[in-house]
mmCIF file of all heavy atoms in Angstrom:
data_model
loop_
_atom_site.group_PDB
_atom_site.id
_atom_site.type_symbol
_atom_site.label_atom_id
_atom_site.label_comp_id
_atom_site.label_asym_id
_atom_site.label_seq_id
_atom_site.Cartn_x
_atom_site.Cartn_y
_atom_site.Cartn_z
ATOM 1 N N THR A 1 6.111 0.635 -3.332
ATOM 2 C CA THR A 1 6.791 1.235 -4.502
ATOM 3 C C THR A 1 7.603 0.016 -5.262
ATOM 4 O O THR A 1 7.228 -1.141 -4.980
ATOM 5 C CB THR A 1 7.769 2.430 -4.112
ATOM 6 O OG1 THR A 1 8.289 2.996 -5.309
ATOM 7 C CG2 THR A 1 8.834 1.886 -3.201
ATOM 8 N N ASP A 2 8.371 0.446 -6.176
ATOM 9 C CA ASP A 2 9.158 -0.596 -6.937
ATOM 10 C C ASP A 2 10.279 -1.336 -6.213
ATOM 11 O O ASP A 2 10.866 -2.330 -6.742
ATOM 12 C CB ASP A 2 9.630 -0.041 -8.241
ATOM 13 C CG ASP A 2 10.582 1.109 -8.036
ATOM 14 O OD1 ASP A 2 10.630 1.646 -6.898
ATOM 15 O OD2 ASP A 2 11.417 1.454 -9.006
ATOM 16 N N THR A 3 10.543 -0.883 -4.996
ATOM 17 C CA THR A 3 11.509 -1.667 -4.188
ATOM 18 C C THR A 3 10.924 -1.827 -2.758
ATOM 19 O O THR A 3 9.910 -1.172 -2.308
ATOM 20 C CB THR A 3 12.766 -0.816 -3.889
ATOM 21 O OG1 THR A 3 12.461 0.460 -3.398
ATOM 22 C CG2 THR A 3 13.402 -0.602 -5.309
ATOM 23 N N TYR A 4 11.358 -2.897 -2.056
ATOM 24 C CA TYR A 4 10.961 -3.097 -0.681
ATOM 25 C C TYR A 4 11.057 -2.067 0.304
ATOM 26 O O TYR A 4 12.127 -1.439 0.300
ATOM 27 C CB TYR A 4 11.403 -4.489 -0.172
ATOM 28 C CG TYR A 4 10.730 -4.870 1.162
ATOM 29 C CD1 TYR A 4 9.588 -5.497 1.189
ATOM 30 C CD2 TYR A 4 11.523 -4.453 2.419
ATOM 31 C CE1 TYR A 4 9.107 -5.934 2.434
ATOM 32 C CE2 TYR A 4 10.874 -4.867 3.628
ATOM 33 C CZ TYR A 4 9.748 -5.601 3.660
ATOM 34 O OH TYR A 4 9.228 -5.937 4.812
ATOM 35 N N VAL A 5 10.028 -1.625 1.013
ATOM 36 C CA VAL A 5 10.262 -0.540 2.040
ATOM 37 C C VAL A 5 10.487 -1.117 3.408
ATOM 38 O O VAL A 5 9.619 -1.775 3.987
ATOM 39 C CB VAL A 5 8.912 0.334 1.956
ATOM 40 C CG1 VAL A 5 8.962 1.375 3.145
ATOM 41 C CG2 VAL A 5 8.691 1.073 0.670
ATOM 42 N N GLU A 6 11.653 -0.709 4.029
ATOM 43 C CA GLU A 6 11.900 -1.229 5.298
ATOM 44 C C GLU A 6 11.257 -0.378 6.387
ATOM 45 O O GLU A 6 10.553 -1.015 7.280
ATOM 46 C CB GLU A 6 13.451 -1.144 5.452
ATOM 47 C CG GLU A 6 14.243 -2.067 4.801
ATOM 48 C CD GLU A 6 14.217 -3.449 5.160
ATOM 49 O OE1 GLU A 6 13.656 -3.693 6.225
ATOM 50 O OE2 GLU A 6 14.633 -4.328 4.418
ATOM 51 N N ASN A 7 11.271 0.880 6.320
ATOM 52 C CA ASN A 7 10.608 1.834 7.240
ATOM 53 C C ASN A 7 9.395 2.428 6.753
ATOM 54 O O ASN A 7 9.377 3.426 6.012
ATOM 55 C CB ASN A 7 11.632 2.889 7.638
ATOM 56 C CG ASN A 7 11.077 3.901 8.733
ATOM 57 O OD1 ASN A 7 10.048 3.530 9.286
ATOM 58 N ND2 ASN A 7 11.908 4.742 9.139
ATOM 59 N N THR A 8 8.258 1.764 6.995
ATOM 60 C CA THR A 8 6.997 2.345 6.390
ATOM 61 C C THR A 8 6.491 3.598 7.116
ATOM 62 O O THR A 8 5.692 4.298 6.578
ATOM 63 C CB THR A 8 5.869 1.208 6.636
ATOM 64 O OG1 THR A 8 5.854 0.896 8.079
ATOM 65 C CG2 THR A 8 6.071 -0.040 5.882
ATOM 66 N N ASP A 9 7.021 3.908 8.202
ATOM 67 C CA ASP A 9 6.584 5.226 8.939
ATOM 68 C C ASP A 9 6.927 6.428 8.013
ATOM 69 O O ASP A 9 6.404 7.498 8.060
ATOM 70 C CB ASP A 9 7.371 5.340 10.251
ATOM 71 C CG ASP A 9 6.895 4.442 11.318
ATOM 72 O OD1 ASP A 9 5.700 3.951 11.053
ATOM 73 O OD2 ASP A 9 7.422 4.151 12.329
ATOM 74 N N GLU A 10 8.063 6.262 7.225
ATOM 75 C CA GLU A 10 8.565 7.318 6.341
ATOM 76 C C GLU A 10 7.578 7.727 5.283
ATOM 77 O O GLU A 10 7.611 8.713 4.659
ATOM 78 C CB GLU A 10 9.937 6.964 5.702
ATOM 79 C CG GLU A 10 11.024 6.890 6.743
ATOM 80 C CD GLU A 10 12.314 6.495 6.116
ATOM 81 O OE1 GLU A 10 12.358 6.200 4.874
ATOM 82 O OE2 GLU A 10 13.334 6.640 6.841
ATOM 83 N N TRP A 11 6.561 6.769 4.977
ATOM 84 C CA TRP A 11 5.635 6.998 3.950
ATOM 85 C C TRP A 11 4.331 7.703 4.435
ATOM 86 O O TRP A 11 3.445 7.975 3.550
ATOM 87 C CB TRP A 11 5.347 5.677 3.226
ATOM 88 C CG TRP A 11 6.410 5.256 2.422
ATOM 89 C CD1 TRP A 11 7.700 4.711 2.865
ATOM 90 C CD2 TRP A 11 6.731 5.423 0.986
ATOM 91 N NE1 TRP A 11 8.596 4.504 1.757
ATOM 92 C CE2 TRP A 11 8.013 4.897 0.700
ATOM 93 C CE3 TRP A 11 5.751 5.872 -0.022
ATOM 94 C CZ2 TRP A 11 8.337 4.850 -0.695
ATOM 95 C CZ3 TRP A 11 6.317 5.960 -1.371
ATOM 96 C CH2 TRP A 11 7.561 5.366 -1.622
ATOM 97 N N ILE A 12 4.213 7.780 5.697
ATOM 98 C CA ILE A 12 2.859 8.367 6.257
ATOM 99 C C ILE A 12 2.778 9.848 5.686
ATOM 100 O O ILE A 12 3.722 10.653 5.789
ATOM 101 C CB ILE A 12 2.839 8.434 7.825
ATOM 102 C CG1 ILE A 12 2.949 7.000 8.244
ATOM 103 C CG2 ILE A 12 1.702 9.031 8.355
ATOM 104 C CD1 ILE A 12 3.067 6.828 9.757
ATOM 105 N N GLY A 13 1.573 10.081 5.135
ATOM 106 C CA GLY A 13 1.313 11.461 4.629
ATOM 107 C C GLY A 13 1.637 11.601 3.272
ATOM 108 O O GLY A 13 1.395 12.633 2.447
ATOM 109 N N LYS A 14 2.350 10.618 2.493
ATOM 110 C CA LYS A 14 2.797 10.771 1.164
ATOM 111 C C LYS A 14 1.525 10.290 0.186
ATOM 112 O O LYS A 14 0.820 9.324 0.654
ATOM 113 C CB LYS A 14 3.992 9.876 0.938
ATOM 114 C CG LYS A 14 5.170 10.478 1.454
ATOM 115 C CD LYS A 14 6.431 9.558 0.910
ATOM 116 C CE LYS A 14 7.802 10.295 1.619
ATOM 117 N NZ LYS A 14 8.983 9.475 1.190
ATOM 118 N N GLU A 15 1.549 10.793 -0.930
ATOM 119 C CA GLU A 15 0.491 10.483 -1.836
ATOM 120 C C GLU A 15 1.146 9.631 -2.860
ATOM 121 O O GLU A 15 2.295 9.906 -3.409
ATOM 122 C CB GLU A 15 -0.191 11.648 -2.579
ATOM 123 C CG GLU A 15 -1.067 12.469 -1.660
ATOM 124 C CD GLU A 15 -1.895 13.448 -2.442
ATOM 125 O OE1 GLU A 15 -1.331 13.861 -3.536
ATOM 126 O OE2 GLU A 15 -2.861 14.006 -2.028
ATOM 127 N N ILE A 16 0.569 8.522 -3.283
ATOM 128 C CA ILE A 16 1.156 7.581 -4.293
ATOM 129 C C ILE A 16 -0.037 7.075 -5.148
ATOM 130 O O ILE A 16 -1.198 7.234 -4.876
ATOM 131 C CB ILE A 16 1.845 6.313 -3.701
ATOM 132 C CG1 ILE A 16 0.918 5.472 -2.832
ATOM 133 C CG2 ILE A 16 3.057 6.840 -2.734
ATOM 134 C CD1 ILE A 16 1.538 4.168 -2.439
ATOM 135 N N GLU A 17 0.395 6.673 -6.351
ATOM 136 C CA GLU A 17 -0.674 5.989 -7.262
ATOM 137 C C GLU A 17 -0.551 4.512 -7.142
ATOM 138 O O GLU A 17 0.446 3.996 -7.083
ATOM 139 C CB GLU A 17 -0.312 6.451 -8.670
ATOM 140 C CG GLU A 17 -0.555 7.899 -8.914
ATOM 141 C CD GLU A 17 -0.324 8.327 -10.239
ATOM 142 O OE1 GLU A 17 0.476 7.685 -11.068
ATOM 143 O OE2 GLU A 17 -1.002 9.261 -10.879
ATOM 144 N N VAL A 18 -1.785 3.960 -7.124
ATOM 145 C CA VAL A 18 -1.755 2.423 -6.769
ATOM 146 C C VAL A 18 -2.946 1.842 -7.791
ATOM 147 O O VAL A 18 -3.621 2.506 -8.441
ATOM 148 C CB VAL A 18 -2.284 2.155 -5.360
ATOM 149 C CG1 VAL A 18 -1.337 2.683 -4.397
ATOM 150 C CG2 VAL A 18 -3.641 2.898 -4.990
ATOM 151 N N LYS A 19 -2.879 0.502 -7.768
ATOM 152 C CA LYS A 19 -3.938 -0.287 -8.399
ATOM 153 C C LYS A 19 -4.537 -1.265 -7.386
ATOM 154 O O LYS A 19 -3.820 -1.651 -6.468
ATOM 155 C CB LYS A 19 -3.296 -1.083 -9.630
ATOM 156 C CG LYS A 19 -2.866 -0.211 -10.856
ATOM 157 C CD LYS A 19 -2.552 -1.061 -12.066
ATOM 158 C CE LYS A 19 -2.105 -0.210 -13.203
ATOM 159 N NZ LYS A 19 -1.774 -1.023 -14.292
ATOM 160 N N ILE A 20 -5.711 -1.599 -7.596
ATOM 161 C CA ILE A 20 -6.444 -2.565 -6.696
ATOM 162 C C ILE A 20 -6.129 -3.970 -7.122
ATOM 163 O O ILE A 20 -6.232 -4.344 -8.280
ATOM 164 C CB ILE A 20 -8.044 -2.362 -6.772
ATOM 165 C CG1 ILE A 20 -8.288 -0.890 -6.216
ATOM 166 C CG2 ILE A 20 -8.669 -3.343 -5.941
ATOM 167 C CD1 ILE A 20 -9.835 -0.525 -6.404
ATOM 168 N N ILE A 21 -5.603 -4.755 -6.175
ATOM 169 C CA ILE A 21 -5.101 -6.068 -6.425
ATOM 170 C C ILE A 21 -6.077 -7.194 -5.785
ATOM 171 O O ILE A 21 -5.975 -8.373 -6.153
ATOM 172 C CB ILE A 21 -3.668 -6.369 -6.160
ATOM 173 C CG1 ILE A 21 -3.425 -6.103 -4.712
ATOM 174 C CG2 ILE A 21 -2.745 -5.463 -7.017
ATOM 175 C CD1 ILE A 21 -1.968 -6.504 -4.319
ATOM 176 N N ASN A 22 -6.779 -6.806 -4.864
ATOM 177 C CA ASN A 22 -7.699 -7.771 -4.197
ATOM 178 C C ASN A 22 -8.852 -7.070 -3.547
ATOM 179 O O ASN A 22 -8.662 -6.111 -2.798
ATOM 180 C CB ASN A 22 -6.966 -8.527 -3.047
ATOM 181 C CG ASN A 22 -7.721 -9.711 -2.483
ATOM 182 O OD1 ASN A 22 -8.452 -10.274 -3.324
ATOM 183 N ND2 ASN A 22 -7.482 -10.013 -1.291
ATOM 184 N N VAL A 23 -10.099 -7.511 -3.893
ATOM 185 C CA VAL A 23 -11.347 -7.027 -3.332
ATOM 186 C C VAL A 23 -12.245 -8.219 -2.759
ATOM 187 O O VAL A 23 -12.453 -9.150 -3.456
ATOM 188 C CB VAL A 23 -12.200 -6.311 -4.308
ATOM 189 C CG1 VAL A 23 -13.394 -5.740 -3.762
ATOM 190 C CG2 VAL A 23 -11.399 -5.222 -5.025
ATOM 191 N N GLU A 24 -12.307 -8.113 -1.360
ATOM 192 C CA GLU A 24 -13.113 -9.142 -0.750
ATOM 193 C C GLU A 24 -14.336 -8.454 0.039
ATOM 194 O O GLU A 24 -14.102 -8.057 1.086
ATOM 195 C CB GLU A 24 -12.248 -9.952 0.194
ATOM 196 C CG GLU A 24 -11.225 -10.745 -0.476
ATOM 197 C CD GLU A 24 -10.429 -11.602 0.569
ATOM 198 O OE1 GLU A 24 -10.966 -12.051 1.622
ATOM 199 O OE2 GLU A 24 -9.293 -12.060 0.283
ATOM 200 N N GLU A 25 -15.508 -8.416 -0.638
ATOM 201 C CA GLU A 25 -16.595 -7.722 -0.001
ATOM 202 C C GLU A 25 -17.060 -8.448 1.295
ATOM 203 O O GLU A 25 -17.261 -7.758 2.272
ATOM 204 C CB GLU A 25 -17.691 -7.710 -0.948
ATOM 205 C CG GLU A 25 -19.068 -6.982 -0.400
ATOM 206 C CD GLU A 25 -20.084 -6.878 -1.458
ATOM 207 O OE1 GLU A 25 -19.939 -7.383 -2.584
ATOM 208 O OE2 GLU A 25 -21.231 -6.465 -0.965
ATOM 209 N N LYS A 26 -17.013 -9.769 1.273
ATOM 210 C CA LYS A 26 -17.499 -10.541 2.454
ATOM 211 C C LYS A 26 -16.671 -10.189 3.695
ATOM 212 O O LYS A 26 -17.201 -10.055 4.775
ATOM 213 C CB LYS A 26 -17.370 -11.952 2.039
ATOM 214 C CG LYS A 26 -17.919 -12.943 3.235
ATOM 215 C CD LYS A 26 -17.780 -14.412 2.775
ATOM 216 C CE LYS A 26 -18.314 -15.323 3.939
ATOM 217 N NZ LYS A 26 -18.296 -16.692 3.518
ATOM 218 N N ASN A 27 -15.301 -10.033 3.464
ATOM 219 C CA ASN A 27 -14.501 -9.944 4.696
ATOM 220 C C ASN A 27 -14.018 -8.391 4.803
ATOM 221 O O ASN A 27 -13.212 -7.953 5.653
ATOM 222 C CB ASN A 27 -13.147 -10.668 4.441
ATOM 223 C CG ASN A 27 -13.359 -12.121 4.449
ATOM 224 O OD1 ASN A 27 -14.097 -12.617 5.228
ATOM 225 N ND2 ASN A 27 -12.705 -12.867 3.580
ATOM 226 N N LYS A 28 -14.719 -7.575 3.906
ATOM 227 C CA LYS A 28 -14.406 -6.116 3.888
ATOM 228 C C LYS A 28 -12.935 -5.973 3.792
ATOM 229 O O LYS A 28 -12.292 -5.088 4.433
ATOM 230 C CB LYS A 28 -14.916 -5.478 5.179
ATOM 231 C CG LYS A 28 -16.423 -5.674 5.518
ATOM 232 C CD LYS A 28 -17.269 -5.048 4.336
ATOM 233 C CE LYS A 28 -18.755 -5.323 4.612
ATOM 234 N NZ LYS A 28 -19.605 -4.908 3.586
#
């Protein structure tokens, strides 16, 4: 999100909108 997340566990199950910033087909 727009601030650093300390506890990532709290975000499990949440829906968010994102953009793709890196695609590496070779390394999947």
